Amino acid sequence: MENDVNPEEIKKVSHPKKPKEGFFYNVFHNGPFLLFALPGAIWMIFFFYIPVFANVVAFKEFHFSPDGFLASLMQSKWVGFENFKFLFTSDAAWLITKNTLLYNLGFISLNLIISVFFAIIMSELRHKRLVKVYQTSMLLPYFLSWVIIGYFVMAFLNPDKGLLNMMLHTDINWYAEPKYWPFILLFIGTWKGIGYNSILYFATVMGIDPTYYEAATVDGANKWQQIKNITIPQLVPLMTLMSILAVGNIFRADFGLFYQVPQNSGALYNVTSVLDTYIFNGLTSTGDIGMSSAASLYQSVVGCVLLVSTNALVRKLDGESALF
């Protein structure tokens, strides 16, 4: 006699009910990880998200009040886009925009090419201790303050006792000669950031499946052909991602590089003045918080638009390489 099998029982066995997963379920099961992320989240909220509301200062003729910041914000006169008008009609508007864009384009290009170059070279080294020494040496400048680097540069470029003048047997006043500084700033900016970027690319290279190289070797490919046809294509997604993020910051210059390294020399203003130094100098010299806020907001909005636009273009060309 055959046993009667209930179809509903079979369905329950083959398709068991999944436990309900909601917000509190996820919080409970991922509690330790969320706890680790909590300090960073609090920092982001207080120093990135809450200050966003203060962007309204860019549209006001801001004056401090003894009653505090919020009272100052409420009592300050609304001027609309007058602060932006002052920024764009000033003589320095074109200069600071041009300098910021050209320097950042130079940094993006140099960092990309040189970082990939060094990452590939380090991946070809077989002495592990030597690789660690190179990585540490290249990464060290990344953690140095711009104030310290500024004094290092001064040791080389000091007009009286600088090492460069002593080696070249010249008496060039480097801090009064603008023609040299675009190259000096590009070199120092690239030197400081190249270690961090090269390690990112090096980690990606080391994660490439070695069977690709073994198959290429069997097929008779030399080292250059392996790099061109295996390593670089595997690096393209990361190169694209890093370039998108860099384009998003193309209107942000490294304040320390352009202020501390040239020692804020007035003679170098035409080649060292960028948006960040312009905002700082405007705030310290005139005390006009509204105008400085307008310049900073303009910087952020343009950067956001460029980031979204670049990402949209990359998503059309190669969806897997897009940031979002």
Side-chain angles (χ1 to χ4, degrees):
M1 181 178 177
E2 295 182 0
N3 294 330
D4 294 333
V5 179
N6 189 346
E8 293 296 329
E9 294 295 330
I10 297 175
K11 188 175 180 180
K12 287 181 181 179
V13 173
S14 57
H15 300 286
K17 288 185 178 180
K18 292 183 179 179
K20 292 183 179 179
E21 295 184 9
F23 175 76
F24 293 104
Y25 175 87
N26 289 326
V27 169
F28 178 76
H29 283 273
N30 298 297
F33 302 107
L34 293 173
L35 194 61
F36 278 116
L38 186 61
I42 293 173
W43 183 79
M44 289 284 290
I45 290 169
F46 276 96
F47 291 98
F48 279 86
Y49 291 105
I50 292 177
V52 167
F53 297 104
N55 281 325
V56 70
V57 173
F59 304 94
K60 284 179 170 282
E61 188 179 344
F62 188 81
H63 296 288
F64 279 110
S65 169
D67 299 325
F69 175 76
L70 290 177
S72 304
L73 197 61
M74 298 298 294
Q75 294 169 12
S76 296
K77 179 184 175 183
W78 184 270
V79 294
F81 289 94
E82 286 299 317
N83 289 323
F84 294 90
K85 182 179 177 182
F86 176 81
L87 171 66
F88 292 118
T89 55
S90 66
D91 296 333
W94 164 245
L95 175 67
I96 60 176
T97 303
K98 179 193 72 172
N99 285 347
T100 306
L101 283 173
L102 291 180
Y103 276 122
N104 277 318
L105 286 173
F107 289 135
I108 291 171
S109 304
L110 289 173
N111 275 317
L112 179 66
I113 296 169
I114 300 176
S115 297
V116 171
F117 175 75
F118 276 108
I120 293 173
I121 287 179
M122 285 192 294
S123 69
E124 295 298 327
L125 296 176
R126 294 294 173 260
H127 200 296
K128 292 185 178 180
R129 289 187 179 179
L130 199 58
V131 171
K132 290 181 180 180
V133 170
Y134 290 151
Q135 286 179 337
T136 305
S137 303
M138 293 173 65
L139 193 60
L140 178 62
Y142 181 79
F143 295 102
L144 292 178
S145 164
W146 279 119
V147 177
I148 296 173
I149 294 175
Y151 282 108
F152 282 164
V153 174
M154 183 182 286
F156 281 91
L157 303 183
N158 189 287
D160 299 324
K161 297 180 180 180
L163 293 176
L164 203 56
N165 277 353
M166 293 175 66
M167 288 188 294
L168 298 176
H169 303 287
T170 61
D171 57 351
I172 299 173
N173 186 356
W174 297 94
Y175 290 94
E177 294 288 345
K179 61 184 178 181
Y180 301 111
W181 279 90
F183 306 101
I184 294 172
L185 292 172
L186 283 171
F187 171 77
I188 295 172
T190 304
W191 167 76
K192 190 176 190 295
I194 195 174
Y196 178 79
N197 292 326
S198 63
I199 286 178
L200 293 178
Y201 291 115
F202 174 74
T204 304
V205 173
M206 298 309 293
I208 298 173
D209 192 343
T211 56
Y212 293 152
Y213 296 103
E214 292 170 4
T217 304
V218 171
D219 290 339
N222 57 34
K223 189 60 68 177
W224 165 243
Q225 290 172 330
Q226 291 178 25
I227 292 171
K228 184 178 70 172
N229 297 306
I230 300 174
T231 308
I232 293 178
Q234 293 290 323
L235 286 175
V236 166
L238 180 60
M239 292 164 65
T240 306
L241 179 63
M242 297 291 286
S243 298
I244 292 172
L245 293 173
V247 169
N249 287 320
I250 201 169
F251 262 69
R252 292 189 180 278
D254 197 321
F255 176 78
L257 172 63
F258 292 96
Y259 187 83
Q260 295 289 350
V261 174
Q263 303 295 319
N264 198 29
S265 172
L268 306 177
Y269 179 83
N270 287 338
V271 294
T272 61
S273 184
V274 290
L275 272 166
D276 296 77
T277 56
Y278 177 79
I279 293 168
F280 176 79
N281 289 327
L283 185 60
T284 53
S285 60
T286 65
D288 192 338
I289 296 177
M291 185 272 291
S292 300
S293 300
S296 182
L297 182 58
Y298 158 70
Q299 190 180 36
S300 300
V301 169
V302 173
C304 180
V305 170
L306 286 172
L307 175 63
V308 173
S309 303
T310 307
N311 185 75
L313 178 63
V314 171
R315 190 169 60 243
K316 278 191 174 183
L317 298 175
D318 183 9
E320 294 183 358
S321 298
L323 183 61
F324 53 86

